[in-house]
Amino acid sequence: MSSMIVAAEVILTSPSRNFVTLKVTTDDGVVGWGDATLNGRELAVASYLKDHLAPLLIGRDAQRVEDTWQYFYRGVYWRRGPVTMAAIGAVDLALWDIKGKLAGQPVYQLLGGAVRMRILAYTHASGWDTPELLDSVDEKLDRGFLAVRAQSGVPGLDTVYGVHHGEVSYEPAGRGKRPVEETWDTAAYLRHAPTMLAAVREHVGPEIALLHDAHHRLTPNQAARLGKALEPVDLFWLEDVTPAENQEVLRRVREQTTTPLAIGEVFNTIWDCKDLITGQYIDYIRTCVMHAGGISHARRIFDLAALYQVGAAPHGPSDVSPITLAASLHLGLATPNFAIQEFMGYEPIDDEVFRHDYTYKSGYLHPGDAPGLGVELDEKLAARYPYNPAYLPVARKRDGTMTDW
Ligand code: EZ4
Ligand code: CO
């Protein structure tokens, strides 16, 4: 049974934030949805899709998901990179959505069926100081979460990425045509983080899973020291300790501490993480299902990880759309070494624009049983919220030098 692609359109919408969506339509009237959101670089992916991939999709057989992936990855001289891979990821998600709809099955069934009943989720808690952070953690526990990422302010700094300060709630991008500039001080952070996380552990008791994200800002030596200092806190993981281009350093960190390490939300292909996985330098691989080329490629990364006892734990912030979250959940339900799903959740207006079948209940997520991925874009509502520039902040050291993300 073939099903020919007759239209491929890119839709930009900004309900609470910017999202890029690919809509693929077949000659039998089936619509597949793909997410192509790359925080702060939305228009680049939109152009890649609209100008380069969409025209080539017309006339292709929508059922040939893997061949289309190979065509856009292997068939193109310029491979890899976040823009290319997000665009390929969007196509891949849309085609899996169509395949599920044609089969009348949720995508997880097409991937081999459920290996678990539900997927453990972690969410983000943050507070400027420790009491505020503990309140935020309590609020997440009240909502049933069993795993919480804890981030706090740092004494002496005015802003810290990932932590809301004052009334404005944390969102990983600030509206405006230029990124906000923040000041960062690693030494101050390192003096504070172990005490802050120890207070959270003390507060929640031994059973709640605690996570922490260092956002690529440490040297290997600093990372090793922090990992050691956090061993008594018993973290579920410590994330993104160093910039991940120089991967050999992760071996040094790994050898110095038993704190579990997670990395990979900025990776796009299996080539970006194969050494970290095969060397067992990390415990969790965090590639985002869409940013890593969609279900077709992410599942190869996760299968490689399984051979080395590395858990799959995909990126799932509010800056990828519910379509990506749903794809992650379908893959997660069918992937034995899937460990946990990041779930920041969305603003109510985002949930209205992207009506979804996935559900959250008592600390766990489930993709739902609607055919395909189970997310439908309300195009009329989406059209009311045009693209509105927003960027992740940039950070400088106290002397003004740009620092790692
Ligand atoms: O900062 O998605 O683990 N989660 C994260 C996210 C990222 C944003 C960047 O766009 O680090 O919140
Ligand atoms: Co992160």
Side-chain angles (χ1 to χ4, degrees):
M1 183 175 61
S2 78
S3 187
M4 199 178 74
I5 297 172
V6 294
E9 300 150 70
V10 178
I11 298 164
L12 286 161
T13 183
S14 193
S16 87
R17 64 166 340 282
N18 292 311
F19 296 109
V20 182
T21 306
L22 175 68
K23 178 186 184 186
V24 176
T25 310
T26 68
D27 57 356
D28 31 21
V30 178
V31 169
W33 298 104
D35 175 32
T37 311
L38 187 62
N39 200 358
R41 293 293 183 271
E42 293 87 358
L43 302 183
V45 188
S47 162
Y48 195 106
L49 278 170
K50 203 166 43 205
D51 299 326
H52 301 292
L53 303 193
L56 300 177
L57 279 171
I58 309 300
R60 291 186 69 84
D61 178 356
Q63 291 273 27
R64 297 183 64 182
V65 183
E66 183 65 35
D67 183 63
T68 302
W69 196 94
Q70 298 285 329
Y71 182 65
F72 286 143
Y73 180 85
R74 207 173 288 279
V76 175
Y77 196 70
W78 313 107
R79 295 184 185 185
R80 306 166 64 190
V83 174
T84 300
M85 297 310 291
I88 296 176
V91 171
D92 189 74
L93 298 193
L95 297 192
W96 275 105
D97 193 24
I98 290 171
K99 191 178 275 299
K101 286 168 175 166
L102 287 170
Q105 298 275 345
V107 166
Y108 77 83
Q109 293 290 12
L110 306 181
L111 297 170
V115 296
R116 56 179 58 81
M117 306 310 291
R118 49 194 184 162
I119 292 169
L120 181 65
Y122 78 90
T123 196
H124 293 189
S126 76
W128 189 252
D129 53 26
T130 303
E132 219 176 87
L133 172 61
L134 298 182
D135 284 349
S136 171
V137 169
D138 281 345
E139 190 238 320
K140 310 303 170 192
L141 300 185
D142 288 346
R143 289 174 50 209
F145 281 100
L146 304 166
V148 180
R149 185 187 93 159
Q151 309 289 127
S152 83
V154 172
L157 297 183
D158 295 331
T159 51
V160 169
Y161 178 69
V163 181
H164 74 97
H165 198 174
E167 289 308 299
V168 187
S169 73
Y170 155 62
E171 188 335 284
R175 295 282 190 199
K177 289 190 169 24
R178 281 171 198 278
V180 168
E181 300 223 350
E182 298 184 338
T183 302
W184 177 249
D185 181 339
T186 302
Y189 162 76
L190 287 173
R191 283 193 297 272
H192 183 63
T195 327
M196 176 272 285
L197 288 164
V200 179
R201 172 55 74 207
E202 170 79 25
H203 183 74
V204 300
E207 282 168 24
I208 296 296
L210 292 178
L211 304 83
H212 181 69
D213 196 338
H215 276 296
H216 325 264
R217 282 175 171 167
L218 310 179
T219 64
N221 201 44
Q222 290 167 334
R225 275 176 50 210
L226 180 61
K228 276 186 176 172
L230 292 176
E231 280 170 21
V233 176
D234 188 23
L235 286 184
F236 187 94
W237 77 42
L238 177 60
E239 180 182 338
D240 285 342
V241 282
T242 60
E245 290 97 328
N246 182 7
Q247 303 196 341
E248 192 54 29
V249 302
L250 267 302
R251 181 207 295 274
R252 172 172 166 72
V253 182
R254 166 77 305 147
E255 284 170 356
Q256 296 293 324
T257 178
T258 56
T259 291
L261 301 173
I263 207 158
E265 69 186 41
V266 299
F267 296 168
N268 320 114
T269 70
I270 200 164
W271 302 102
D272 300 335
C273 40
K274 85 172 181 12
D275 295 343
L276 291 180
I277 292 170
T278 59
Q280 290 183 301
Y281 304 167
I282 56 171
D283 301 272
Y284 298 96
I285 181 69
R286 302 222 55 240
T287 41
C288 171
V289 170
M290 176 265 293
H291 292 155
I295 289 172
S296 298
H297 191 65
R299 65 176 171 165
R300 306 209 187 289
I301 297 177
F302 298 163
D303 283 348
L304 176 69
L307 300 183
Y308 296 92
Q309 291 179 291
V310 171
H315 195 212
S318 55
D319 52 85
V320 294
S321 91
I323 301 169
T324 292
L325 183 67
S328 218
L329 297 175
H330 283 279
L331 185 54
L333 210 67
T335 300
N337 62 321
F338 201 94
I340 196 166
Q341 176 62 55
E342 182 179 23
F343 178 53
M344 281 178 72
Y346 295 93
E347 296 296 322
I349 185 63
D350 300 324
D351 286 329
E352 265 183 67
V353 170
F354 295 90
R355 275 177 285 116
H356 54 79
D357 206 50
Y358 70 74
T359 48
Y360 164 80
K361 197 177 159 220
S362 309
Y364 291 90
L365 289 155
H366 190 283
D369 282 299
L373 293 174
V375 184
E376 297 295 322
L377 180 75
D378 182 332
E379 289 183 77
K380 272 199 188 135
L381 192 57
R384 301 219 315 243
Y385 304 101
Y387 169 76
N388 185 353
Y391 289 97
L392 286 162
V394 298
R396 295 182 184 276
K397 296 181 192 171
R398 288 194 189 279
D399 70 359
T401 331
M402 286 291 301
T403 186
D404 285 313
W405 223 89

